[in-house]
Amino acid sequence: MLNEKIQKANRRKFLLLLALMCAPVIISYTLYFLEYKPESKHYGDLIPIVKVTGNGTNQADNTILRMKDMHGKWVLLTVDSGLCDEACQQKLYFMRQVRLVQGKEKHRIERLWLINDDVVPNAELVKEFEGTLFVNAKDSEILNFIETTELQTKHIYLIDPIGNLMMRFPENVDGTKMGHDIKRLLHVSQLEH
């Protein structure tokens, strides 16, 4: 009788352990087949990854800037005319501010403005957004990697340290949310020069 009680207790323990070990597998298969997808926390839109290559003329010192020179840095990129209307200035402002709020990690971010025409930005604008690379890319193959011509000028893009175009921020960007995205990426990224 005592032996039977011990056997029942051992059988219960075994079944409980078996259930606990099988539960994660059963739950994961259930979630997979029900196509459960948790809500993402990122603000920017992940886009199909494209390796960006090519070069353009850096307007500050009239040298050639190759995209491979940017490897090892996260690059905030915008495309616009050298005339730079209000929307363009807003994008440049958010790119500058988002970089500044990263604190000691800001050295890992570059700001790049690809100018898609022959217009040279005015000196006041260049001074206001000092540190941004002003690159004439009118006839450059770089622009071919960045979506369609209509969409290029509406968004701020993000290039990873390997040189892949991987994220696009919404047209009317929220700088705070964009800053959180960049901070999260810098935190989890282990890629350095």
Side-chain angles (χ1 to χ4, degrees), residues 3-71:
N3 204 9
E4 256 182 54
K5 286 184 180 180
I6 292 173
Q7 280 182 342
K8 280 186 179 182
N10 285 343
R11 189 174 297 130
R12 281 190 206 122
K13 287 178 188 174
F14 173 73
L15 291 174
L16 180 64
L17 282 173
L18 185 64
L20 286 173
M21 285 190 271
C22 292
V25 175
I26 293 168
I27 292 170
S28 67
Y29 273 99
T30 304
L31 292 175
Y32 175 77
F33 288 114
L34 292 176
E35 296 182 10
Y36 171 75
K37 290 184 175 69
E39 252 185 67
S40 66
K41 294 181 179 182
H42 58 82
Y43 172 66
D45 299 323
L46 294 174
I47 57 177
I49 293 176
V50 177
K51 182 80 168 173
V52 180
T53 59
N55 54 34
T57 306
N58 188 341
Q59 292 190 344
D61 54 9
N62 211 23
T63 58
I64 294 176
L65 178 109
R66 293 181 297 269
M67 286 308 292
K68 68 179 183 179
D69 296 339
M70 306 298 278
H71 286 203

Side-chain angles (χ1 to χ4, degrees), residues 1 23 26 44 61 76 88 96 110 119 130 141 150 160:
M1 186 158 164
I26 293 168
D61 54 9
L76 288 170
C88 167
R96 180 184 67 199
E110 285 291 342
V119 179
E130 187 178 346
E141 62 272 19
E150 297 81 38
D160 68 17

Side-chain angles (χ1 to χ4, degrees), residues 155-172:
H155 302 281
I156 296 174
Y157 296 90
L158 184 66
I159 299 176
D160 68 17
I162 303 171
N164 297 318
L165 182 69
M166 47 89 63
M167 187 176 271
R168 172 184 70 199
F169 292 98
E171 192 171 341
N172 297 316

Side-chain angles (χ1 to χ4, degrees), residues 5-189:
K5 286 184 180 180
I6 292 173
Q7 280 182 342
K8 280 186 179 182
N10 285 343
R11 189 174 297 130
R12 281 190 206 122
K13 287 178 188 174
F14 173 73
L15 291 174
L16 180 64
L17 282 173
L18 185 64
L20 286 173
M21 285 190 271
C22 292
V25 175
I26 293 168
I27 292 170
S28 67
Y29 273 99
T30 304
L31 292 175
Y32 175 77
F33 288 114
L34 292 176
E35 296 182 10
Y36 171 75
K37 290 184 175 69
E39 252 185 67
S40 66
K41 294 181 179 182
H42 58 82
Y43 172 66
D45 299 323
L46 294 174
I47 57 177
I49 293 176
V50 177
K51 182 80 168 173
V52 180
T53 59
N55 54 34
T57 306
N58 188 341
Q59 292 190 344
D61 54 9
N62 211 23
T63 58
I64 294 176
L65 178 109
R66 293 181 297 269
M67 286 308 292
K68 68 179 183 179
D69 296 339
M70 306 298 278
H71 286 203
K73 301 264 189 185
W74 289 92
V75 180
L76 288 170
L77 168 89
T78 186
V79 179
D80 230 307
S81 166
L83 294 173
C84 199
D85 60 8
E86 189 177 327
C88 167
Q89 289 181 28
Q90 184 108 13
K91 290 189 298 183
L92 291 171
Y93 171 79
F94 281 124
M95 287 168 50
R96 180 184 67 199
Q97 295 306 108
V98 163
R99 180 179 178 270
L100 287 174
V101 299
Q102 301 310 317
K104 65 181 181 178
E105 297 291 331
K106 71 181 179 184
H107 71 280
R108 296 174 61 193
I109 303 171
E110 285 291 342
R111 294 169 290 146
L112 177 62
W113 176 15
L114 296 178
I115 300 168
N116 61 3
D117 57 21
D118 288 325
V119 179
V120 177
N122 67 45
E124 185 180 304
L125 188 71
V126 172
K127 185 177 180 181
E128 182 178 352
F129 298 106
E130 187 178 346
T132 300
L133 298 170
F134 297 87
V135 175
N136 187 324
K138 180 182 179 213
D139 299 320
S140 173
E141 62 272 19
I142 299 171
L143 294 178
N144 297 334
F145 296 103
I146 307 168
E147 301 189 302
T148 63
T149 309
E150 297 81 38
L151 288 176
Q152 285 177 351
T153 59
K154 294 182 178 182
H155 302 281
I156 296 174
Y157 296 90
L158 184 66
I159 299 176
D160 68 17
I162 303 171
N164 297 318
L165 182 69
M166 47 89 63
M167 187 176 271
R168 172 184 70 199
F169 292 98
E171 192 171 341
N172 297 316
V173 70
D174 179 335
T176 304
K177 290 179 181 178
M178 183 177 159
H180 288 301
D181 264 10
I182 302 295
K183 188 177 287 290
R184 195 174 308 118
L185 284 170
L186 291 174
H187 179 70
V188 299
S189 169

